[in-house]
Every structure is written in structure tokens, then in C-alpha cells.
Amino acid sequence: MRVLNDANQQSGASRNGKAAASRDQRGTAAEGFDYLIVGAGFAGSVMAERLAAQYGQRVLIVDRRPHIGGNAYDEHNSDGVLIHRYGPHIFHTNAQRVVDYLSRFTEWRPYRHRVLASVDGMLVPMPINLTTLNLLYSLNLSPEQAEAFLAARAEPVSEIRTSEDVVVNKVGRELYEKFFRCYTRKQWGIDPSDLDRSVTARVPIRTTTEDSYFNDVFQCMPREGYTRMFEKMLSHPNIEVKLGTDYKEVRKRVNFGKLIYTGPIDEYFDHCLGKLPYRSLIFRHETLDQEFFQSVAVVNYPSESVRHTRITEYKHLTGQQHRKTSITYEYPNDEGDPYYPIPRPANAALFKRYQALAEFHPEVTFAGRLGSYRYYNMDQVVAQALSTVERIAEKEGMNQVA
Ligand code: FAD
Ligand code: UDP
């Protein structure tokens, strides 16, 4: 991997994905590349690695940010605490193929994600489970009684379309208001009744004491962090990485055959059909002179009384021992980097129109969370990237070199 950083050509820090920045400043624009990949997040990096290592393609991967890893980027802050610059990223999947693939580049630290929610002046497990109900209502229900308790409150909805329907149908309006309505309004800037059902359906409702946030069989953190994993993924000699570089600047300067674009699809087409809405976040990072701040990695704040949605404390995720601790508050926002495609029918319809436009541009492949306008988790992006490369290889008749 050769890493060139337009934003900071001399930087050679090893923990931020710029390790090789000063090693080789020659650049290879004149030599040409088989592929230009826009975006060095999961989507772009996995495709770069596969095209280079499996099919011997020469790849230039660019990112407008000064680092690799996309939103999964992690770094040691000035106090030496490993943090996630773009909020908490917990790896979880049921796809063995994805685990096998990523395990080539990282070892794993077993980690089960547990979340508490601050409700009615208490910290209770989220997803709602038996413990949550017993604490909230000062009860001592068994799992069967908890099922009956929720069934008595549930308001059956005949056709479940929205994020409100999903929750109200299972637990009724009171718990919906306490845990979901306001959190969702803060997070998305719209009411759950205007949001696709898939959004709140991500969070299970349980009547046992199971308190894992995710149901997936594989839940782990990359042992040395995400950035280290990306560095290994992009270390193939056929891959050149150019950071601090926007696609629009590089496209005329570089010879390349095909394009893979993992940025926002509407931006690629200069928003010619209108802007696809995205939700952004402001991250407030703090380091505290104490060993721990809260008892779990994430505490959610579903009430209207504070503007942040959650606070993350990284040492629970990473297992790092340190006398200080770092935390991040997340404040949802309309403006800023596009972190979340907003799943609702009008947006899906606009995306379909961009997709139809993309069919007239076979020279470019769109992928990733922004290129596909899908609320994908990391494992889904990796799975999509692996399949996309297989599809490209078949279409182009590429031979495997490894
Ligand atoms: P990205 O990581 O967004 O990468 C795209 C890259 O393209 C960016 O670095 C961007 O700078 C670059 N780019 C865009 N346009 C251009 C351009 N014109 N020129 C140059 N570069 C460009 N998933 C999980 O599985 N578990 C979690 O716990 C989890 N937590 C999350 C928490 C937050 C706050 C957020 C926002 C997401 C979370 N995710 C989580 C989702 C995860 O971040 C994504 O699934 C994954 O990172 C998407 O990878 P990607 O490569 O598609 O996109
Ligand atoms: N959600 C909520 N209250 C919570 C947690 C989640 O209302 O305490 C809803 C909210 O709409 C959120 C969605 O469920 O956006 C999905 O939650 P998840 O934790 O998966 O969101 P992410 O980690 O992707 O931000």
C-alpha cells in the first residue's frame, strides 16, 4: 500500500492510517490504474483488497477525509485512549463468510454489547426486557407474566408499516413513548410514524433477562482496532491510497479503467434529481480524569430533556486499561457529513430514480451505505462488497491470481 495524503503530505503517524505517507511520494497517476475506488471505508477497502489480491488489479483508492476506515475509523486520542471518531462501532454478524474474510486482517476481542437507557430517573436495560419491566414498574414478573403484561398493553396494528407501528403493536403506547418516540424524533428529525418500520425493528423486545443489544451469533471487536484492520487490508502492493482527496479533484488527473463509488449516489450525479436526505451527527468527545464514567459502553437518553441521544464510553468496547476514560455524546443534526440514509418511502422512491439513472452509466459501480442509500451495518457492507467484486469479476472475465 502506498499512502499519499493531499491534506498532510508529511504525516507518518502509524495509528491513523497514514503510516506510509512519507515512505513514497512518487504518485502513479501517469501509470494508470485498473480501478479507481472512491471512499476508503468498509465498502471501498474490501473491494480494493479483493480486486488487488484476488484478481491482480491495480487499484487507486481515494478518500476526501485524511484517514482510511470511513466511519469505522478509530484512533488513540491525545491522552492515549482508543476512541471511535464517528461514534460507537460494534461488530456483529450472522454471516460466517464475513467473519472468515475479516479474520485475515484482524484478531478479535469477544465483546457482548449491553446498553442501558435513562428512563424515569433510572438506568434500565435496553432493549426492553424482563429486568426493564420489573425495574420500571416495581414488579417481580416471571417471563410468562411479562408476556401477558405486554400483551395487555399492546395495541395491535393490522398493517405494520412504520416505526411507530412496530413498537406500539408489541408493547403499547406508554413504553413506546418512554423508550422510542422521543429518541427517534431526536435521532431522525421526524416522527416514528413517518419512518420505515425497519428502523425500530432493529431493536428487539424481550420478556427474558437476556440483555445483549444484538441477537447475532458473532459479536466481537477487532483486537487492535478498526484502523489497524484497514491498514492490513490495504497493505497489498497493488493498492495505492490517496487521502484528503475528493473524487472531483482526482478524476481528471488520474488514468483509470473502471470506477467504484461508495460516496452518496446523489452527489455523484450532482443532485440532478434532487437531494437524497441524510441524517448527520455532531460528536462531542471528552476525556475525563477518572477510570470509568458509566457501567456499560452505551447509555441511551430517550427523553426530551436532553439533546443527545446516547453517551459512549470506549474502554468497555476496547478493553483498554487506562487511568483516564474517553466518552462521546451524539447530537443528531440535519447538516454535516451524511451518516444515516433516512428510510422512508419518498426517499426510497428518489433513490430508485438515481438507481435507474445509474443503469445508463455502466462504467461506474455504486456500493456501500451511501452508494446504496441503505441503513447497512458494517457486516452487510462487507457482504455486499464481496458479492459486488465477484459480480464484476464474472462480468469482466477476470482470472484469479490468488
Ligand atoms: P463510509 O464508512 O461512510 O465510507 C465512505 C467513505 O467515502 C467516507 O470515508 C467518505 O469520506 C468517502 N467519500 C464520500 N464521497 C467522497 C468523494 N466524493 N471523494 C472522496 N471520498 C469520498 N455498523 C455496525 O455494524 N455496528 C455499529 O455499531 C455501527 N455503529 C454506527 C454508529 C454510527 C454513529 C454510524 C454513523 C454508523 C454506524 N454503523 C455501525 C454503520 C457503519 O458505519 C457502516 O455500515 C459502514 O461504516 C459503512 O461503510 P461504507 O464504506 O459504506 O461507508
Ligand atoms: N431506538 C429508540 N430508542 C433507543 C434505541 C433505539 O428509539 O433507546 C430506535 C431509534 O429510532 C434508532 C433505531 O431504534 O435510530 C435503531 O437503533 P440502533 O441502536 O440500531 O441505531 P444506530 O446504532 O444505528 O444509531
Side-chain angles (χ1 to χ4, degrees), residues 310-338:
R310 57 187 177 189
I311 302 179
T312 299
E313 183 172 27
Y314 296 101
K315 281 166 63 185
H316 295 288
L317 301 177
T318 60
Q320 188 183 6
Q321 311 277 318
H322 200 291
R323 68 178 182 78
K324 293 190 180 182
T325 193
S326 294
I327 58 173
T328 299
Y329 293 74
E330 287 173 53
Y331 298 92
N333 204 32
D334 272 340
E335 305 297 319
D337 279 359

Side-chain angles (χ1 to χ4, degrees), residues 217-230:
V217 289
F218 187 86
Q219 303 185 32
C220 278
M221 299 294 289
R223 193 171 283 285
E224 294 177 71
Y226 289 97
T227 303
R228 187 76 198 103
M229 179 176 79
F230 279 98

Side-chain angles (χ1 to χ4, degrees), residues 26-323:
R26 283 174 296 146
T28 49
E31 295 166 22
F33 298 91
D34 299 305
Y35 280 86
L36 170 61
I37 299 184
V38 178
F42 266 103
S45 298
V46 169
M47 287 191 279
E49 192 280 334
R50 285 294 75 199
L51 286 166
Q54 196 175 3
Y55 295 103
Q57 302 291 298
R58 287 161 307 154
V59 178
L60 172 64
I61 180 164
V62 302
D63 204 299
R64 53 165 66 132
R65 288 169 166 167
H67 58 73
I68 56 175
N71 288 337
Y73 175 68
D74 55 14
E75 60 185 333
H76 285 90
N77 64 16
S78 57
D79 285 290
V81 182
L82 182 58
I83 66 158
H84 297 181
R85 188 182 285 187
Y86 306 100
H89 278 70
I90 298 106
F91 189 80
H92 57 101
T93 190
N94 285 320
Q96 190 57 41
R97 179 185 189 215
V98 170
V99 176
D100 291 343
Y101 173 72
L102 292 178
S103 300
R104 298 176 190 193
F105 313 103
T106 188
E107 291 181 3
W108 300 97
R109 169 180 192 265
Y111 167 74
R112 254 191 134 61
H113 192 43
R114 292 189 173 79
V115 174
L116 297 174
S118 171
V119 173
D120 293 351
M122 280 181 270
L123 289 179
V124 296
M126 180 68 185
I128 294 171
N129 71 3
L130 182 62
T131 316
T132 314
L133 297 176
N134 282 336
L135 281 171
L136 215 55
Y137 295 101
S138 304
L139 292 169
N140 192 18
L141 301 174
S142 66
E144 296 71 33
Q145 288 169 323
E147 261 177 52
F149 180 92
L150 291 182
R153 281 161 178 74
E155 292 176 20
V157 178
S158 55
E159 194 201 344
I160 295 175
R161 283 183 309 104
T162 72
S163 270
E164 177 181 294
D165 296 342
V166 169
V167 183
V168 168
N169 180 63
K170 279 195 198 146
V171 302
R173 210 151 280 277
E174 185 177 302
L175 287 164
Y176 162 71
E177 305 255 338
K178 280 189 199 294
F179 287 89
F180 287 92
R181 180 159 185 264
C182 191
Y183 186 105
T184 301
R185 288 171 72 100
K186 287 197 285 190
Q187 171 69 16
W188 299 95
I190 53 179
D191 195 81
S193 58
D194 290 324
L195 205 53
D196 196 88
R197 63 182 176 183
S198 59
V199 177
T200 52
R202 287 164 63 91
V203 184
I205 309 274
R206 303 193 181 109
T207 47
T208 63
T209 52
E210 171 60 56
D211 61 353
S212 243
Y213 198 71
F214 306 113
N215 287 326
D216 293 350
V217 289
F218 187 86
Q219 303 185 32
C220 278
M221 299 294 289
R223 193 171 283 285
E224 294 177 71
Y226 289 97
T227 303
R228 187 76 198 103
M229 179 176 79
F230 279 98
E231 283 171 353
K232 288 196 179 148
M233 206 182 277
L234 294 172
S235 69
H236 194 279
N238 281 5
I239 301 176
E240 185 164 315
V241 182
K242 221 169 176 325
L243 300 173
T245 303
D246 198 287
Y247 165 63
K248 286 199 168 135
E249 297 157 30
V250 86
R251 67 181 166 184
K252 295 194 190 85
R253 289 198 270 126
V254 171
N255 289 322
F256 62 93
K258 297 261 155 102
L259 176 66
I260 294 176
Y261 195 87
T262 73
I265 188 170
D266 55 327
E267 186 182 323
Y268 178 84
F269 289 115
D270 293 323
H271 308 111
C272 65
L273 302 173
K275 279 197 167 182
L276 276 168
Y278 299 90
R279 191 69 169 157
S280 191
L281 292 169
I282 294 168
F283 300 100
R284 179 154 67 88
H285 302 292
E286 280 181 7
T287 297
L288 308 171
D289 210 354
Q290 61 196 65
E291 207 176 342
F292 280 101
F293 172 73
Q294 58 194 28
S295 63
V296 290
V298 173
V299 175
N300 285 357
Y301 289 84
S303 94
E304 233 161 12
S305 60
V306 292
R307 284 194 303 116
H308 54 272
T309 47
R310 57 187 177 189
I311 302 179
T312 299
E313 183 172 27
Y314 296 101
K315 281 166 63 185
H316 295 288
L317 301 177
T318 60
Q320 188 183 6
Q321 311 277 318
H322 200 291
R323 68 178 182 78

